[in-house]
Every structure is written in structure tokens, then in C-alpha cells.
Amino acid sequence: MLVGNRRSTARASTAPAQRVTVSLYEKPPREEMTLEEFEVFAVDRLKVLRTIDALRQKGFKPKELEAELAPVVRELLPLAAAGPQAPSDARKDSVSHFILRLAYSRSEELRRWFLTQECALFRHRLSRLRGDGFARFLREHGLKFEEVPDSERDARVSSLARIKNYENVPAQTATYYRVPFLEAIDLIGRREVYLEKGYAYVPQAKLHSIVVSRFRASLSRSLAKASGSLAAAAADPRLGPLLTNVEKHDLERQDVDDDDIEGITPEQIDALADQSMPLCMQQLHYALKRDHKLKHWGRQQYGLFLKAAGLSMEDQLRFFQAEFTKIMTHDQFSKEYAYNIRHRYGKEGKRTEYSPYGCYKLVMDMAPGPGEYHGCPYRHFDADHLAAVLSKTSLDAGEQSLVLGKAKERNYQIACQRHFEFAHKKQTVNGKKVVANLDGVGNHPNAWFKASRVYHQDLHAAEHPEEAAAKEAEKAKGIAAANQSQVEGMVLAN
């Protein structure tokens, strides 16, 4: 035994020290860094937080969320416990947290969003601690909990045995901790603790929830304090643009261009608005047709959407001109509005290609003012207005109620998804199943539009099989001709 202890001691002294990777972010970092690092760190963390939000919006269960989130965190915010990479990982994690904490302190809504996602990330990291990692985390951060003596546990064993016990540890031998019940609200809701005289008796395996609760309370206070420091930090011309615009960073540039289906023309837009546009774009289209104008952000939101939907610059000019010139001259339209349309397509100014706005931007950063129709209807319409709009859609009363309920719960993107599902139900036509692809629906208006167009194309093909077969044959013939022309060109070149 003596020799064994010596060997263990020797191994411990030569083993590389492991750091506690999970942080409570109690002290801001004090170090120099480049502006490029500042932005990269902030954006990488923002990608992780937006991923968490998207997974939660899609209704992922905790274990599913953990599995989906793990590779994203591993890629963008790794936390090595040992080795040469550990210090730089810890630095990026700390710096990125404090940057976003400051940036997201600007409003109550932004603070609430940041708090929710950061707590989810914190919970995820706690769940990944292995071995004595959680115990070392508690020791390093001075987190102490009152352990229930065996005599008290035994006196309450019949009550403790009724707690939901996923670990199958007998109540007679389990370790319990006594904490104020306000710190165990999540566990109380799931009936995973025993309550007595204002205290919750928490199984050791459930301490994670208590630690997350303390982290949430601490971070909430810190966000309130940070809001008082934002103005001074934003006054720095180097940091100001980053701090005040980081939450607007477009991270939703996904495959929303309709490359696999035909582009659109101005003549098709009215029908497509009724059939395939999400509610946000429908409202802009109907306002344009009614008022023959849209204010700046409405034109920008709708114009970029139509661009990604496959409308050419020339056709977009023609489309908006046809409406606007019902209340103004052609010369006035050319002078005041044509430049912005060409600018959207990268033909003016810096010649930048602009991406269409995703749902996150519409929900968080596009609140409309009087006489404006941009933004997200599920987020920005009041309940009566949204109910009136939904009553004019193809959804029945029960479906409308479910969508309204999700919007009321602030699950705006889920409300949008449910709307899509109700409007694009699974069908079997002439023995062929027609099923909509939900990828991206609820995350981007163009993803909704693209999925809807594909669904209706498939539905039309199922209803008219001869016409669909003729189109496929014509398409195959065109591909064969193109391939033959390419081969002939290669032969001539040689």
C-alpha cells in the first residue's frame, strides 16, 4: 500500500495540471487585443448563442439539443482543460463573453435574450464536465452547499423517495443538499426535489440546476450594471460600431437563393404572394399594392427578399416602378428610388452584394413605426391585429389559435413554422406523397418561400403526371445537348 501511494503521488506531480474550464465570468479580462480579435471573438460566440436559440425555437429536447450543440461549441468556443491550447481557449471564452455582455446590455429585450442563451451554454458546459470536474468547479469558485446530515435524510426518507429519480440511487443512501426553494424553481416544476419549510432538498445529481440558477441571478445583475458602462465604451470610435452593431451581425447567410427552381417575374408576384410568401412578406406586398409605396426599411426588406427569390434587377425596377408611378411621375421614381434598387444588386455605391434579412434580424432589429409594414408580424403585431391577419389565410380556427398561442409565448419563429406546416400539409395525390421540406423555415423568409414553391411544384406534378413527365424529358434532352456541345468544344480545342 505504501508503495502504491508513493507511485500515485509521483504520477500526480508529473501529470499536467488541469484547469477548471467552466467560468462564472466574475472578473473582466484586462489585456491587449487587436480589433480583429475583438470582432472575431464576439462573432464566434454570437454564432454559438444563435445556434442555441435556433435549436430551442425548433423544440429540440434537452438531450437532442446537447448533441446538436456540442460540435458547434467544439468548433467555435473550445475549452481545453490542459495542454498548450488551454490558455488561449480560456482567453477567447472570457473576452467574447464580456464583449457580448456589454453589447447586449443596451435594452431589456437584448439583455433577456443574452441571459437565456448564456445560461443554456453554461448548463451545456457543466453537463460536459467529467470525473471530478464538477466538484473541482465548485471548489475553485467557492460554491458551497449545505449537505443534509444522514439523520435528517433518514427522518425524511419516505418523502425523499417520492422524488423523480432518474439515476436510480436509493433515497436511503443518496446525498442531498438543502437550498432556499427560490434557487430550485426549475427542479420544483419537474418534481425533482422535496420541499419543506422554504427549503428544497436537492439530490446531488441535480446540483447543476442550482448552480445555473445562481449563475443566472449573477449574470442578470451584471447585465444591469453593464448597461451603465456601454455609453462610455461605445464612445471609443474603434469599439463603438462593433458594440452597437454586433447583435445585428448577419449570421443567417444560408442557401436561400432559389437555384434549383425557376426565377420569378413581376407578372408572377401577385400569385406567389398569396401562395408561397411568408406572412412578413405578404404584408409588405399587400401594403405596396394598396398604398403604391413602401417606406425605406420596407422597400429594403422586400426588395432583398425578391432579389434572393430570383427577381432580376431589371424586373425589380419594373415591378416597383409600376406601383410607385401610380402616385408619382416616372421621373420622380427614377430620381428617388431607382438608385437604391440598383444598389441592392451591387451595381451602385460600393458595389456590395447584399443578403436578404433573416428571421433573427426581423424579430430583433426591425420594429416598424407608424405607416411602416416591415419586421415580423408574429413579433410586432398586437394579438388582435395578428388574429385579423391570420383569419384571412387558409388556416382554420384551431390552427390560427395554435399559431397565436406560440406568438403570445414569444416563440415567434415556432409560430412561423406552425403556420407553414398548416398551410403545406402532407398529401397523397395519384399515389404520390407530397411532403414539404421544413429546413430553414422559421429561420429565413426565403427558406419559407423556396420550400413552399418546391411543395407546390411537387403537388402540381403529382396532379398532372403526364405534363411533369414531358417536362422531365425536355429537361433531360436539354442537359444532353449541353453535354454534347461541351464535348464537341473540347474536341475542337484539341
Side-chain angles (χ1 to χ4, degrees), residues 183-418:
E183 293 190 20
I185 295 298
D186 288 348
L187 296 176
I188 292 170
R190 298 195 296 268
R191 300 189 178 187
E192 294 177 352
V193 296
Y194 167 64
L195 284 177
E196 182 180 303
K197 296 181 180 179
Y199 286 91
Y201 287 70
V202 183
Q204 185 176 33
K206 297 299 177 182
L207 270 183
H208 281 192
S209 289
I210 307 302
V211 174
V212 173
S213 178
R214 290 192 180 182
F215 175 74
R216 173 183 285 275
S218 173
L219 181 55
S220 181
R221 291 191 297 269
S222 298
L223 279 165
K225 291 180 182 177
S227 64
S229 306
L230 178 60
D236 187 320
R238 299 166 302 170
L239 304 182
L242 293 171
L243 289 174
T244 55
N245 292 297
V246 68
E247 86 280 359
K248 302 174 187 175
H249 208 91
D250 184 13
L251 309 179
E252 298 167 313
R253 295 183 182 180
Q254 53 194 53
D255 179 21
V256 295
D257 292 320
D258 292 343
D259 296 330
D260 52 349
I261 52 180
E262 295 177 0
I264 63 174
T265 64
E267 292 73 25
Q268 296 174 302
I269 294 177
D270 285 348
L272 288 171
D274 294 332
Q275 174 190 277
S276 291
M277 285 188 191
L279 206 59
C280 54
M281 300 304 165
Q282 272 189 351
Q283 296 308 298
L284 285 166
H285 181 77
Y286 296 157
L288 175 63
K289 301 297 285 188
R290 182 185 64 246
D291 301 336
H292 312 301
K293 63 179 180 180
L294 287 173
K295 292 189 177 181
H296 173 75
W297 288 114
R299 297 195 306 274
Q300 193 73 351
Q301 178 177 321
Y302 194 37
L304 290 173
F305 167 83
L306 291 174
K307 174 191 170 190
L311 189 68
S312 69
M313 184 185 75
E314 292 75 15
D315 279 345
Q316 186 161 150
L317 281 164
R318 186 160 60 90
F319 170 70
F320 277 104
Q321 181 175 338
E323 289 301 326
F324 276 55
T325 52
K326 291 177 181 178
I327 60 170
M328 66 180 67
T329 66
H330 287 265
D331 187 54
Q332 186 179 357
F333 174 83
S334 297
K335 288 180 179 178
E336 297 182 18
Y337 300 101
Y339 176 89
N340 283 338
I341 293 174
R342 294 194 297 271
H343 192 270
R344 274 178 221 135
Y345 284 80
K347 303 301 182 183
E348 299 283 2
K350 295 180 180 178
R351 302 189 179 274
T352 301
E353 281 285 344
Y354 292 93
S355 297
Y357 298 152
C359 292
Y360 180 85
K361 182 175 180 64
L362 300 186
V363 169
M364 298 294 290
D365 192 42
M366 294 289 285
E372 295 180 321
Y373 303 94
H374 57 266
C376 170
Y378 308 102
R379 167 67 179 86
H380 298 120
F381 287 4
D382 61 41
D384 291 340
H385 187 184
L386 182 58
V389 169
L390 289 173
S391 69
K392 298 176 183 178
T393 66
S394 62
L395 276 59
D396 63 35
E399 293 166 345
Q400 292 172 36
S401 179
L402 286 171
V403 172
L404 283 167
K406 291 300 179 185
K408 187 176 181 180
E409 295 168 3
R410 297 182 178 178
N411 293 320
Y412 311 117
Q413 289 166 266
I414 293 180
C416 187
Q417 287 177 338
R418 294 292 176 269

